[in-house]
Amino acid sequence: MTDTALNRLKDERRDWRKNHPFGFVAKPCLNQDGSLNYKVWKCRIPGLNNTFWENGRYNMFMIFSDDYPISPPICRFFPIIFHPNVCRTCGTVRSSLLNINNHWDPIYSIRHILLVIQLMLHEPSIVDIANEIAYFLYSVPDRTDYYRLVQWQARRMSED
C-alpha cells in the first residue's frame, strides 16, 4: 500500500474514532500478527429509521486498493443481502459513486460512502443493477413481495 493511501486511511480512522454517525461501525481488520490491516475494513451499517430496512444491521467489508483515494474501495456485504444494487453471488455493491469512471471523487471519505450506501438500501439505483431478481420485485407496481423480503432480512440482520 502506498504511503498516500496508508496515511489517508490512518487519518480517516482517527477522524472516525472521534466522530462517527450513530450505529455505524468502521474499523480496519486485524492481520494474523495483531497489527491493523488498513486495506480491509469491517463495517456495519444500520438500517435507516422509518424504512423497511430499519432495525437491521448490515455487515460489509471495504477493500482498499494501493491507489486509494484515487480509486474507490470495493464494498462487499457479508452475509450477502437481497438488494437490486448488491450482487447476489459475491455481495459487491454496484453504485455509480463507487465507479471510478462515473461519480467517484477522492474527497469522499469512508463516512460519506457508508452514509450513501445506507440511503441506497432504501432508495436503490435503477441504473446500477446487480441483482435482477431484486430489481424485478422492486420495479413492479406492487412491491409487497420485495418489502416482505426486505423486512425478513432486517429481522434476520438484527440478531447478533
Side-chain angles (χ1 to χ4, degrees), residues 8 12 68-69 97 103-113:
R8 166 72 180 262
E12 288 202 46
Y68 178 77
L97 172 79
H103 299 291
W104 175 253
D105 191 314
I107 65 166
Y108 295 147
S109 65
I110 291 169
R111 175 191 189 100
H112 180 84
I113 294 166

Side-chain angles (χ1 to χ4, degrees), residues 34-136:
S35 63
L36 295 176
N37 179 354
Y38 283 96
K39 288 187 91 166
V40 182
W41 289 48
K42 186 170 183 179
C43 304
R44 180 175 281 172
I45 300 172
L48 198 58
N49 289 338
N50 302 315
T51 72
F52 290 99
W53 297 87
E54 184 175 35
N55 297 324
R57 294 184 299 272
Y58 305 93
N59 293 318
M60 188 181 78
F61 287 102
M62 295 179 88
I63 302 144
F64 297 92
S65 66
D66 289 339
D67 64 346
Y68 178 77
I70 302 304
S71 295
I74 295 169
C75 297
R76 187 170 285 156
F77 281 99
F78 186 82
I80 297 169
I81 65 169
F82 180 78
H83 188 276
N85 305 127
V86 177
C87 178
R88 63 188 175 98
T89 58
C90 66
T92 300
V93 175
R94 187 176 297 166
S95 167
S96 56
L97 172 79
L98 298 173
N99 184 329
I100 195 165
N101 297 320
N102 268 344
H103 299 291
W104 175 253
D105 191 314
I107 65 166
Y108 295 147
S109 65
I110 291 169
R111 175 191 189 100
H112 180 84
I113 294 166
L114 293 176
L115 288 169
V116 167
I117 291 175
Q118 182 193 44
L119 184 58
M120 179 205 73
L121 292 177
H122 176 61
E123 297 176 10
S125 165
I126 59 170
V127 176
D128 302 309
I129 304 305
N131 181 331
E132 293 82 12
I133 296 167
Y135 174 69
F136 172 78

